[in-house]
Amino acid sequence: MPTIGDVAAAAGVSRSTASYALSGKRSVSEEVRRRVNEAVHRLGYTPNAGARALATSQTMVIGLLARFLEDEFAPAMMQYILGVSDTARGLGYDTLLVTEADGVRALRRITGSRMVDGVVLLNVAHDDVRLPALREAPQPGALVGLPGDCSGLDVFDLDFEEAGRVMVERMHRLGHRELILVSQPEHVAERGGAYMWRLRDAALEQARLRGVRLHAVSGESGQPAIGATLHRLLDDHPSATGLLLNNEAAAAALPSVLHARGLSVPGDLSVVGRYSDEFARTFSLSYSSIESAPDRLGNMVVRHLVRRIESPEGREKPHVVRFLSPELVDRGSTAPPGPRGR
Amino acid sequence: MPTIGDVAAAAGVSRSTASYALSGKRSVSEEVRRRVNEAVHRLGYTPNAGARALATSQTMVIGLLARFLEDEFAPAMMQYILGVSDTARGLGYDTLLVTEADGVRALRRITGSRMVDGVVLLNVAHDDVRLPALREAPQPGALVGLPGDCSGLDVFDLDFEEAGRVMVERMHRLGHRELILVSQPEHVAERGGAYMWRLRDAALEQARLRGVRLHAVSGESGQPAIGATLHRLLDDHPSATGLLLNNEAAAAALPSVLHARGLSVPGDLSVVGRYSDEFARTFSLSYSSIESAPDRLGNMVVRHLVRRIESPEGREKPHVVRFLSPELVDRGSTAPPGPRGR
DNA sequence: CTGAAAGCGCTTACAG
DNA sequence: CTGAAAGCGCTTACAG
């Protein structure tokens, strides 16, 4: 592999001039620039990333820590990873994907060894053990998911509280007065998945304000258990006319449950879910839903991280906690209360 | 961040001795080793990855090129990526994930700049444009997926031909004499997805040998189109008693199609699919299937790549093309022909 | 506009 | 068993 020394020799200039001709960081005569570019092209020169990182303290790589938790919907993770990776590349960065179970050790390794210029954490828990290690790192960090303590980090997440309110509000306006909300399993909350209770508590509060009865329950994260739970809920609350789903498995299982009961949507039951459009397509779901927008979140988190990496004053700017406004994608699954309510 | 110079100073030895004490590449007195380790621990020293890469020409990173093609099942990709990433970490390597649309350019960038010690290509097509660039790279490359020309590369894939034979054979032994095979869309084959025709052609040949009628058709990759196609196929071939699915969307859509027709499995229809166990769980599918084993393939491809990276003679060893034997996971969806055949 | 030189933080022959 | 020094391939002040 040719080095910049080879390029310089071929162009008949010094290594520093070759370097400047390529970086444009100081003016170079037209003639020299041409000769250098020609040499680069002819020799097939690509700068050595390790050497450049050593000289500049910049790797042009961001670390992406993904956690795969039991009972979470794995395919959804792919969307976040793609959003991060594609955005990073668009900004000139590559992505080091870390899926190691021991996130703290992984974080120490990639930040301590300066393999990355910044780190994105996915699937952040309320009391995430990775955060202390991230705060100690010399590189900036940004999160997707809301921890209890956001200090020293940029935080991005869907506004799950607003999502809960929007769901209830949509149903209330249509005239619904009794709803069922199916959330994730209890242990998702126990391990710090704040999105579960953030949506639920806000939905309960909004229901209280509107005088709507809301039955909030946890549901399993897989078939056939969640299907059985949905049947039981519909049995237990025969006068409920709307179903809110903050549980992807429940959304995926609902069509067969409704089919088995001979219920139609929205004629007999109104439904609003919370998942990504990609998810809806994969499972052919035609329920209106709050878009969880993994691509937009991935985009936001990387854009802010890179800004902090690149602007010298950015390192000291106050950190942000930003919530993405939930967007209700209307797929026609809500209507005024049907016969179940009469 | 402390350097090895800081460690050496704190331990009262030279930098070279500190380095050797850590690498163990030459013997060091017990006393010195203790002092160096103590200094490392106290200062929180981690070697700088860029500097080490520059000195050793080893990055301990492997590149992973994933392609996301239209009409392919994205969640399946996550399984391959995890298999590669987890195996790499177990062998001491990190994973640079590249999802860039222009795979050739991406490949040139990460290999030319020596960011990686080797490269894994996922979702390789018959006439994959990335292969010439990979062969020119100074690092070894390994593939998941079978290209037309395997020269200079290690190639791993499920044995789709054997999979096709196993499917037909299972049905034939149970007494089935007329089967339907639903493959991926035609354009999957047109863009070089050899797994499509490899399974189909082998199944057709095996059916011919056994005197079984086999209707081989392409199906769409999403709802509702594939559902309609399945209905039409069952209408068109009323005496077919077995269904073979080399199409993940078709497998996901089948339960509702069968429900709508009032058909039970395996009483009325025997079914064998081809997908991963993870996929079966995600979609709650209880059809027997050829396990596509993304985790095992990811493991194999990385293990071989690392062997080639690390053993000096390994660089010259003949390249391998290895097919993973298909395993039929029995979920009880096959039985002797049902009433449809009578 | 250009070049010689120092330096980034490691590893590893070379000497003792 | 240990150290001084060269070298990996870049970038960038310093001089002219």
Side-chain angles (χ1 to χ4, degrees):
Chain A
M1 286 262 114
T3 70
I4 197 159
D6 300 324
V7 170
V13 296
S14 71
R15 298 189 317 170
S16 57
T17 299
S19 176
Y20 283 120
L22 292 174
S23 70
K25 287 189 182 172
R26 88 180 178 190
S27 53
V28 164
S29 74
E30 191 48 52
E31 164 64 9
V32 163
R33 184 192 318 282
R34 201 192 49 69
R35 290 209 313 264
V36 168
N37 284 332
E38 191 274 332
V40 163
H41 198 260
R42 186 159 50 81
L43 301 176
Y45 169 73
T46 309
N48 180 296
R52 177 174 276 179
L54 188 56
T56 62
S57 303
Q58 285 221 345
T59 64
M60 300 310 284
V61 174
I62 66 165
L64 174 55
L65 264 81
R67 295 198 305 169
F68 292 82
L69 301 171
E70 204 197 344
D71 276 356
E72 257 174 3
F73 194 73
M77 186 62 81
M78 190 75 248
Q79 297 304 116
Y80 286 99
I81 293 175
L82 267 178
V84 167
S85 163
D86 287 342
T87 304
R89 187 83 284 278
L91 297 172
Y93 287 76
D94 276 295
T95 300
L96 194 76
L97 174 68
V98 183
T99 58
E100 201 170 348
D102 187 343
V104 173
R105 210 176 64 152
L107 205 43
R108 293 229 174 86
R109 179 166 42 79
I110 67 171
T111 58
S113 66
R114 318 300 282 246
M115 296 177 81
V116 298
D117 295 335
V119 177
V120 170
L121 258 56
L122 254 35
N123 211 338
V124 172
H126 184 71
D127 194 24
D128 201 302
V129 293
R130 301 171 298 178
L131 299 191
L134 184 54
R135 290 199 185 90
E136 279 173 22
Q139 299 95 337
L143 319 179
V144 177
L146 180 63
D149 174 8
C150 295
S151 62
L153 303 164
D154 291 313
V155 179
F156 303 87
D157 204 1
L158 183 68
D159 190 340
F160 282 93
E161 305 189 354
E162 181 64 13
R165 286 189 288 269
V166 166
M167 284 175 154
V168 169
E169 198 58 19
R170 157 71 63 117
M171 293 294 199
H172 176 258
R173 284 209 191 139
L174 287 167
H176 295 265
R177 295 299 176 261
E178 183 176 354
L179 306 172
I180 302 171
L181 166 64
V182 182
S183 300
Q184 290 91 349
E186 277 299 337
H187 64 265
V188 168
E190 279 157 21
R191 72 172 169 231
Y195 48 89
M196 188 269 212
W197 70 73
R198 280 161 61 206
L199 188 148
R200 181 196 60 198
D201 294 352
L204 282 167
E205 172 63 15
Q206 187 71 11
R208 201 185 56 74
L209 281 176
R210 296 303 189 208
V212 170
R213 286 188 67 189
L214 178 63
H215 309 285
V217 296
S218 283
E220 294 83 353
S221 62
Q223 281 273 33
I226 185 64
T229 295
L230 288 170
H231 274 295
R232 183 174 51 71
L233 287 169
L234 292 171
D235 287 340
D236 288 355
H237 306 291
S239 54
T241 55
L243 190 56
L244 310 180
L245 304 173
N246 185 26
N247 176 322
E248 282 159 321
L254 189 60
S256 64
V257 168
L258 296 183
H259 192 278
R261 303 177 75 94
L263 291 179
S264 74
V265 170
D268 301 311
L269 191 70
S270 287
V271 177
V272 178
R274 196 274 315 149
Y275 41 76
S276 72
D277 190 60
E278 174 76 17
F279 182 88
R281 277 203 304 277
T282 300
F283 286 88
S284 310
L285 299 179
S286 54
Y287 310 126
S288 302
S289 72
I290 302 285
E291 170 63 43
S292 51
D295 48 345
R296 286 181 60 203
L297 276 167
N299 193 290
M300 278 175 76
V301 72
V302 171
R303 214 165 278 282
H304 277 258
L305 181 64
V306 167
R307 194 169 310 157
R308 202 170 280 280
I309 289 170
E310 295 188 347
S311 76
E313 72 284 9
R315 303 299 277 257
E316 299 309 320
K317 265 197 280 191
H319 290 86
V320 304
V321 178
R322 195 156 303 174
F323 294 114
L324 195 63
S325 282
E327 195 187 328
L328 181 54
V329 179
D330 199 327
R331 298 192 183 87
S333 65
T334 60
R340 269 180 65 95
R342 290 174 208 144
Chain B
M1 286 261 111
T3 71
I4 196 158
D6 300 324
V7 170
V13 296
S14 71
R15 299 189 318 171
S16 58
T17 298
S19 176
Y20 283 120
L22 292 174
S23 69
K25 287 189 183 172
R26 88 178 178 191
S27 51
V28 164
S29 74
E30 190 48 52
E31 164 64 9
V32 163
R33 185 192 317 283
R34 201 191 50 68
R35 291 210 311 265
V36 169
N37 284 331
E38 191 274 332
V40 163
H41 198 261
R42 186 158 50 81
L43 300 177
Y45 169 73
T46 309
N48 180 296
R52 177 174 276 178
L54 188 55
T56 63
S57 303
Q58 284 222 345
T59 63
M60 301 309 284
V61 173
I62 66 166
L64 174 55
L65 264 82
R67 296 198 304 169
F68 292 82
L69 300 171
E70 204 196 343
D71 278 355
E72 259 175 3
F73 194 72
M77 186 62 79
M78 190 76 249
Q79 297 304 115
Y80 286 99
I81 292 174
L82 267 179
V84 167
S85 163
D86 287 342
T87 304
R89 187 82 285 276
L91 297 172
Y93 287 76
D94 276 295
T95 300
L96 194 76
L97 174 68
V98 183
T99 58
E100 202 169 348
D102 186 344
V104 173
R105 211 176 63 152
L107 205 43
R108 293 228 175 86
R109 179 165 43 78
I110 68 171
T111 59
S113 66
R114 317 301 281 247
M115 296 177 82
V116 298
D117 295 335
V119 177
V120 170
L121 258 56
L122 254 34
N123 211 339
V124 172
H126 184 71
D127 194 24
D128 200 302
V129 292
R130 301 172 298 179
L131 298 192
L134 185 53
R135 290 199 185 90
E136 279 172 23
Q139 299 95 336
L143 319 180
V144 177
L146 180 63
D149 174 8
C150 295
S151 62
L153 302 164
D154 291 313
V155 179
F156 302 87
D157 205 1
L158 184 68
D159 190 339
F160 282 93
E161 305 190 356
E162 181 65 12
R165 285 189 288 269
V166 166
M167 284 174 153
V168 169
E169 199 58 19
R170 156 72 63 117
M171 293 293 200
H172 175 258
R173 284 210 191 138
L174 287 167
H176 295 265
R177 294 297 177 265
E178 183 176 355
L179 306 171
I180 302 171
L181 167 63
V182 182
S183 300
Q184 289 91 348
E186 276 301 337
H187 64 264
V188 168
E190 278 157 21
R191 72 173 170 231
Y195 48 89
M196 188 269 212
W197 69 74
R198 281 162 61 206
L199 188 148
R200 181 196 60 198
D201 293 352
L204 282 167
E205 173 62 15
Q206 186 71 11
R208 201 185 55 74
L209 281 175
R210 297 302 189 205
V212 170
R213 287 188 67 190
L214 177 63
H215 308 286
V217 296
S218 283
E220 294 83 352
S221 61
Q223 282 273 37
I226 186 64
T229 295
L230 289 170
H231 274 295
R232 184 174 50 72
L233 287 169
L234 292 171
D235 287 339
D236 288 355
H237 306 292
S239 53
T241 55
L243 191 55
L244 310 179
L245 303 173
N246 185 27
N247 177 322
E248 281 159 322
L254 189 59
S256 64
V257 168
L258 296 183
H259 192 277
R261 302 178 75 95
L263 291 177
S264 74
V265 170
D268 301 310
L269 191 69
S270 287
V271 177
V272 177
R274 196 275 314 148
Y275 42 76
S276 72
D277 190 60
E278 174 77 17
F279 183 87
R281 276 203 303 276
T282 299
F283 286 89
S284 311
L285 298 179
S286 55
Y287 310 125
S288 302
S289 71
I290 303 284
E291 170 64 44
S292 51
D295 47 345
R296 285 181 59 201
L297 276 167
N299 193 291
M300 278 174 76
V301 72
V302 171
R303 213 164 278 282
H304 276 259
L305 181 65
V306 167
R307 195 170 309 159
R308 202 171 280 280
I309 290 170
E310 295 189 346
S311 76
E313 73 283 8
R315 303 299 277 256
E316 299 310 321
K317 263 197 281 190
H319 290 87
V320 305
V321 177
R322 195 155 304 173
F323 294 114
L324 195 64
S325 282
E327 194 188 327
L328 181 53
V329 179
D330 199 328
R331 297 190 183 88
S333 66
T334 61
R340 269 180 64 95
R342 290 177 206 141

